[in-house]
Amino acid sequence: MDIKTIALGYKYLNGHTVGRQIIGTGVHVQKQLTEMDKETGFGDPGPWWSVGAQAVEIEWDEQNFTYEIVKAVTVMDGGTIINPMTATQQMRGGIFLGLSIASGESFEFNDKGVIQNPDFRTYQLMRFGEQPKEYIVEFVETPSADGPYGARGIGEYGVIGAASALANSLSSATKTELNKLPLTPEMIWRTRRASYDKFKYKQIYYCFFTCKWVFPRRNDSIR
C-alpha cells in the first residue's frame, strides 16, 4: 500500500475515513557535547553557535521624539538551510519579538513592588502596523559538522541583535548614546536632555577656566 493512501487516514469508497494522520518524530543529539569543568570553567555544553549581523533603518521625528521602523535586516549563518521559507519566517518572528522588547515592553512597579501594567492594554507590545515595513533575511550556509544534514539551530538568533540594532540606529539619529530599554519617546527625550545638560555644564566649566587663564588681570574675583 502506498504511503499516500494512509498518510491522512484510510479512506473508504463512501468517503468515510478511519485512523489519524501519520506523524513521525525524532531527536538529534550531538556527539561532542560535554559538561562544564568545575575546575577550569571550560566545556562544550551548548549544541549550537553561529555568527550573523542585524541592522535597522528608522525614520526619526526630531520634533516629537518619535520614530518609525522602516527596514530590518538579518544575515545569518544557519548551516544547511533545510526549509528556506520556515527559516526565513523564524528570523522575521525573532526580529519582531526583539524590536517589540526594545521599543516599548517594560513592567512598571509601584513603591510596594506590585506590577501596574499586568495586561495587554497597558503592557506595550508592538502591534500590527508598527512592525518594519520591510524585512530582509539572508542566509550564509556553512554546514555544521555535527548537525542534522549540516543544519544549525536558529531559534533565538533573530531576537538577539534586534534591540542593539535599534538602539544604535536611534543613537546615530539623535546624536545621543542610548543604552537603556525600552526606547520610548519619553526615555529618548530624557536621555538626550540629560546628555545635553551634562555637555552644556562641561562647556561652561571649560570656558570659565579658559577665560580665567587667558585674562587673569581683568577680573581676579572669578573663581
Side-chain angles (χ1 to χ4, degrees), residues 8 13 69 82 87 122 146 166 195 198 200 204 218:
L8 298 178
L13 295 178
I69 303 173
I82 298 174
T122 54
D146 200 21
L166 179 60
S195 177
K198 185 177 180 181
K200 184 178 180 181
I204 294 174
R218 292 190 178 186

Side-chain angles (χ1 to χ4, degrees), residues 11-190:
K11 183 178 180 180
Y12 292 102
L13 295 178
N14 61 4
H16 293 172
T17 60
V18 62
R20 301 179 179 179
Q21 295 180 354
I22 294 178
I23 300 175
T25 61
V27 177
H28 176 82
V29 180
Q30 290 183 288
K31 302 176 182 179
Q32 302 173 4
L33 300 184
T34 65
E35 295 184 357
M36 296 293 288
D37 190 298
K38 295 182 180 180
E39 300 296 329
T40 64
F42 289 97
D44 190 14
W48 308 115
W49 63 270
S50 194
V51 294
Q54 291 183 290
V56 172
E57 180 183 343
I58 63 164
E59 289 183 358
W60 167 247
D61 187 330
E62 180 73 23
Q63 183 175 359
N64 297 315
F65 282 78
T66 58
Y67 59 91
E68 182 178 358
I69 303 173
V70 178
K71 184 186 299 183
V73 181
T74 295
V75 179
M76 175 73 195
D77 186 346
T80 302
I81 303 299
I82 298 174
N83 189 323
M85 292 183 65
T86 299
T88 298
Q89 291 303 107
Q90 180 77 28
M91 291 295 100
R92 289 178 175 176
I95 297 169
F96 186 94
L97 176 59
L99 292 177
S100 180
I101 294 170
S103 61
E105 294 188 37
S106 176
F107 283 117
E108 299 176 5
F109 300 88
N110 63 12
D111 56 356
K112 296 182 179 180
V114 179
I115 296 176
Q116 300 301 292
N117 55 338
D119 53 57
F120 288 139
R121 286 191 175 187
T122 54
Y123 186 85
Q124 295 300 315
L125 293 167
M126 181 179 283
R127 290 168 170 77
F128 183 79
E130 298 175 342
Q131 77 274 11
K133 295 179 180 178
E134 182 180 5
Y135 287 105
I136 297 177
V137 177
E138 298 289 346
F139 291 102
V140 177
E141 298 191 46
T142 305
S144 173
D146 200 21
Y149 303 101
R152 300 177 187 270
I154 59 173
E156 303 294 334
Y157 288 108
V159 184
I160 295 173
S164 298
L166 179 60
N168 286 338
S169 186
L170 284 168
S171 295
S172 178
T174 61
K175 297 179 174 60
T176 303
E177 185 177 351
L178 301 171
N179 53 19
K180 293 182 180 180
L181 300 180
L183 295 161
T184 60
E186 180 181 358
M187 193 283 289
I188 297 172
W189 176 79
R190 290 184 181 278

Side-chain angles (χ1 to χ4, degrees), residues 193-209:
R193 180 179 179 182
S195 177
Y196 174 77
D197 290 343
K198 185 177 180 181
F199 175 76
K200 184 178 180 181
Y201 172 77
K202 285 184 177 180
Q203 289 291 91
I204 294 174
Y205 185 79
Y206 173 77
C207 181
F208 172 80
F209 280 97

Side-chain angles (χ1 to χ4, degrees), residues 208 211-223:
F208 172 80
C211 292
K212 169 66 176 176
W213 178 75
V214 175
F215 308 108
R217 295 182 182 180
R218 292 190 178 186
N219 190 351
D220 290 337
S221 63
I222 297 178
R223 294 291 185 271

